[in-house]
Amino acid sequence: MSTLKEADFADPSRLEAALRANLAAFERRAVPVPEGVRSAAVCLTVVPFRDEPHVLVIKRAPRGRNAGQWALPGGRLDEAESAEEAALRELAEETGVEAGPEEVAGLLDDFRTDSGFVITPLVVVPRGPVLPRPDPKEVQSLHHVPLRRLMKPDLPRWATAPDGGPLLQMPLRAGMVIHAPTGALLWQFREVALLGRATRVDTVTQPEFTRR
């Protein structure tokens, strides 16, 4: 595993190869899904935007589950659906970005949430033209976060939770501070895929407002 370099950002093929190499070298942890817990899957989608690579982040519509929260494209698995199938289906439905199994660069650790889900995160690198078309029923807004921003040394930021423990924050730009679970997945993506460090995030605390 190794840290991405300047040349990786300039060449989409080299970037994809570097991401795949780091993810392949990472010993991913799967989490068993017990009775009463639901399975979900999300996409950390790496796309070109303004001549450099970004990852897609959405803000959920101001109604329904997780209303108004920062999220990654994704959702719960339908019956007999795999995590990969669900993640890619939800990516297309929520953002209009189409990707196939061959464009999945690798997976990060499963993350069990306090709201009753086990989330499987996929890193996806679409190879065709990317023209996002967010579904207004599910997505209030879609945002491009530069990979360079995720690699900055001021991330993550740690605050104090009400119980006195550490609270992870990912301040990505003005008005965009992302907490767990989405913040935890972005942090592990940064650590594993971008910086080549085998960091675990399963002990990260979720703030109360994300548990609904």
Side-chain angles (χ1 to χ4, degrees):
M1 300 173 72
S2 60
T3 299
L4 268 63
K5 299 177 174 58
E6 186 68 30
D8 297 322
F9 289 94
D11 182 338
S13 296
R14 180 165 174 165
L15 172 64
E16 181 179 350
L19 293 173
R20 286 181 178 272
N22 280 345
L23 291 162
F26 177 62
E27 294 186 12
R28 174 185 179 271
R29 292 179 181 173
V31 173
V33 182
E35 188 72 26
V37 174
R38 292 158 289 182
S39 296
V42 299
C43 291
L44 291 130
T45 312
V46 178
V47 299
F49 183 68
R50 295 177 180 170
D51 298 322
E52 66 173 303
H54 291 65
V55 65
L56 295 180
V57 174
I58 63 173
K59 192 169 192 179
R60 296 224 169 268
R63 57 194 173 278
R65 190 173 186 86
N66 305 128
Q69 292 186 25
W70 296 110
L72 298 166
R76 69 183 68 186
L77 277 60
D78 288 343
E79 187 175 354
E81 195 175 36
S82 69
E84 180 181 275
E85 290 167 339
L88 297 178
R89 171 181 56 77
E90 291 279 356
L91 175 65
E93 291 175 359
E94 292 182 341
T95 71
V97 175
E98 302 278 353
E102 69 282 0
E103 292 159 294
V104 176
L107 283 74
L108 298 170
D109 287 342
D110 287 348
F111 187 91
R112 182 167 178 175
T113 75
D114 295 335
S115 53
F117 285 91
V118 169
I119 302 175
T120 299
L122 285 72
V123 177
V124 180
V125 187
R127 295 171 183 164
V130 176
L131 299 171
R133 299 180 305 280
D135 180 356
K137 297 190 296 297
E138 299 189 65
V139 178
Q140 177 178 334
S141 55
L142 183 147
H143 303 261
H144 295 76
V145 176
L147 297 194
R148 293 179 192 276
R149 174 67 192 113
L150 287 175
M151 296 177 71
K152 294 293 186 182
D154 63 329
L155 294 177
R157 183 174 75 191
W158 296 95
T160 302
D163 64 2
L167 184 67
L168 173 122
Q169 297 179 333
M170 296 289 280
L172 299 180
R173 65 169 68 119
M176 182 186 280
V177 178
I178 304 182
H179 300 81
T182 299
L185 303 183
L186 285 166
W187 180 32
Q188 192 175 52
F189 171 70
R190 158 205 158 91
E191 292 290 299
V192 174
L194 304 183
L195 299 180
R197 301 195 292 227
T199 301
R200 306 294 177 183
V201 300
D202 54 313
T203 60
V204 171
T205 301
Q206 285 182 239
E208 180 62 34
F209 72 85
T210 69
R211 300 176 185 177
R212 299 187 291 272

